[in-house]
Amino acid sequence: MKKIVFSAFFSLLLLSSPAVADVAATATTLDISAEARVKSAPDIADISAGVVTSSSTADKALAQNTLRMNGLFRALKAAGVAEKDIQTSMFNIGPQYEYKENKPARIASYQVSDTVSVRLRDMKNIGAVLDALVAQGANQINGPQFSVENADAALDTARK
């Protein structure tokens, strides 16, 4: 009996030793980390351009805004921007209130906002397009935001 207790005690002692515990607890794991960079020149630029007009009546504000927006569309087409690359992104018409102390708010004018999103594919022509838009009455321009149209090709190159 003494021999069995001694063997059990020795076995427990052996299994609890650090060398045996590490082997028993270790699983095979393979971690791989990689990084790659590929530089690509942008081939598209996205801009947002619009017109904000105000007038005493909604009809007048809308008429003024329409004239200026038509000028924007003509300028974009003259610059060679395809129709598929021009999209209305926002239109709003609403009253502008005037507030005076101890008096109820009153409508002072009406404001019309119209914005288009434009994708430019000729990188050399961006400055000329922006100048033409401003000349036609655009008073709201955001961008350009540059990107690569076929980003998947650049990602595939980086993965290789």
Side-chain angles (χ1 to χ4, degrees), residues 81-112:
V81 178
E83 225 175 281
K84 69 176 183 160
D85 291 332
I86 305 169
Q87 182 176 11
T88 299
S89 56
M90 193 273 302
F91 177 83
N92 187 45
I93 185 168
Q96 300 297 299
Y97 292 94
E98 182 179 274
Y99 300 94
K100 291 188 178 180
E101 193 173 327
N102 297 323
K103 291 188 177 186
R106 74 170 194 85
I107 296 175
S109 64
Y110 288 87
Q111 187 177 69
V112 176

Side-chain angles (χ1 to χ4, degrees), residues 36-68:
R37 294 177 190 258
V38 174
K39 291 186 179 184
S40 294
D43 57 358
I44 57 174
D46 292 313
I47 63 167
S48 170
V51 175
V52 178
T53 54
S54 294
S55 190
S56 59
T57 66
D59 288 346
K60 288 180 185 177
L62 184 58
Q64 291 172 6
N65 193 281
T66 299
L67 284 173
R68 291 165 86 186

Side-chain angles (χ1 to χ4, degrees), residues 68 71-72 75 128-138 141:
R68 291 165 86 186
L72 262 63
V129 170
L130 293 174
D131 288 343
L133 291 173
V134 170
Q136 290 299 318
I141 295 179

